[in-house]
Amino acid sequence: MTECHTLLISDIHIGSKICRTEKVIELLETASFKTLIINGDLFDSKVTKAFSKDHWYLISILADLARKKDVILVGGNHGRELDNIVKNMGVEIKDDYLFTIGTKRILCLHGDQFDPFVTHVPMTSRIFANIFYNLQKLDGQDQESAMIVKKFSKRLLGITSGRQKNLATKHAAHKKADIIICSHTHIPHMGTKNGILYINSGSFCEHPCTFVAIDKNGKARLEKI
């Protein structure tokens, strides 16, 4: 069982057929934590018609958690139109989230700010996303082929872990943060640059699903389920 001060999950994409709802529910029902941060893309689109019973059950779990704990949703680049669903249940919505645990200043933001295709040519970004989602629907449980294609396409488009890490750590230095946690690419990664710890939390669409646990001293670790 995961025990931590702050639990961070991201890129759940509720409403999508590739959302691994059962893994999110398993984590939230078994982990012990004080604060939950959802680092962008809780929802997949602007409508609820594709929501399954499991999707609605997950939303009810989040509503129950928000009555007992601090639950923060950082805005992403998918499904922002539906963020008010959980806001009305007590979840706090932020564009980014800077907080301190122990001696560590930790900055959370989705990371689409560092993606040139989302910021400059969003239509192209949506086309590539749709191609990848369709491939995931056809792929097996381990999502091996889909992940190979995703990593190749990210390199082709210049949306690499290294690029996001460079831009994110520069932004973190400007904000005087010790740790910056992003997501968006769905590719988990952890590394240090110029004394700043950078983490990409991955997603709950791939296999395995990954997340970040932060202890009471501000030490962050990347875990999988």
Side-chain angles (χ1 to χ4, degrees):
M1 183 180 76
T2 297
E3 295 185 8
C4 58
H5 179 282
T6 297
L7 179 68
L8 184 144
I9 60 179
S10 67
D11 293 274
I12 299 167
H13 292 276
I14 291 175
S16 167
K17 292 182 179 179
I18 62 171
C19 169
R20 293 180 176 266
T21 321
E22 75 285 356
K23 288 298 183 181
V24 189
I25 294 171
E26 178 185 345
L27 178 63
L28 294 180
E29 290 186 335
T30 60
S32 174
F33 56 91
K34 292 184 177 180
T35 300
L36 174 66
I37 300 172
I38 306 166
N39 204 21
D41 289 1
L42 173 61
F43 299 105
D44 189 65
S45 69
K46 61 183 179 180
V47 295
T48 61
K49 64 181 180 180
F51 284 16
S52 67
K53 289 183 179 179
D54 284 345
H55 292 161
W56 285 114
Y57 178 59
L58 172 55
I59 292 170
S60 73
I61 291 175
L62 293 175
D64 185 56
L65 284 172
R67 287 191 288 268
K68 304 171 184 176
K69 306 173 186 284
D70 292 329
V71 181
I72 295 101
L73 171 60
V74 177
N77 62 301
H78 283 269
R80 293 301 304 273
E81 297 87 351
L82 299 183
D83 286 354
N84 279 337
I85 292 177
V86 290
K87 182 179 180 180
N88 294 334
M89 296 175 177
V91 175
E92 189 174 359
I93 311 292
K94 293 181 175 289
D95 291 328
D96 56 37
Y97 184 45
L98 179 63
F99 60 102
T100 300
I101 301 180
T103 60
K104 301 296 184 183
R105 282 169 55 87
I106 304 168
L107 176 61
C108 298
L109 70 168
H110 185 59
D112 54 303
Q113 302 91 332
F114 310 127
D115 182 341
F117 275 77
V118 168
T119 55
H120 300 301
V121 279
M123 182 60 69
T124 301
S125 179
R126 284 194 291 271
I127 290 171
F128 273 92
N130 287 334
I131 291 172
F132 179 69
Y133 286 173
N134 287 326
L135 177 61
Q136 280 190 300
K137 293 175 189 176
L138 299 173
D139 212 350
Q141 174 68 22
D142 61 4
Q143 297 286 304
E144 183 177 356
S145 299
M147 285 306 293
I148 290 172
V149 171
K150 173 176 275 292
K151 290 177 182 179
F152 174 77
S153 65
K154 294 294 183 182
R155 287 196 297 269
L156 180 66
L157 299 175
I159 313 166
T160 62
S161 295
R163 185 182 193 280
Q164 188 185 69
K165 178 180 177 180
N166 290 339
L167 294 174
T169 51
K170 286 180 181 178
H171 184 70
H174 177 70
K175 294 288 187 177
K176 295 181 170 55
D178 303 293
I179 302 171
I180 184 164
I181 305 174
C182 302
S183 46
H184 181 59
T185 67
H186 293 204
I187 300 173
H189 180 76
M190 187 171 182
T192 303
K193 181 163 183 170
N194 298 329
I196 296 172
L197 177 62
Y198 159 83
I199 304 174
N200 186 299
S201 53
S203 82
F204 275 80
C205 294
E206 275 73 36
H207 175 77
C209 300
T210 53
F211 60 94
V212 175
I214 307 170
D215 70 17
K216 63 182 180 179
N217 299 312
K219 183 177 180 181
R221 61 187 188 271
L222 187 61
E223 297 192 356
K224 62 185 178 181
I225 185 171

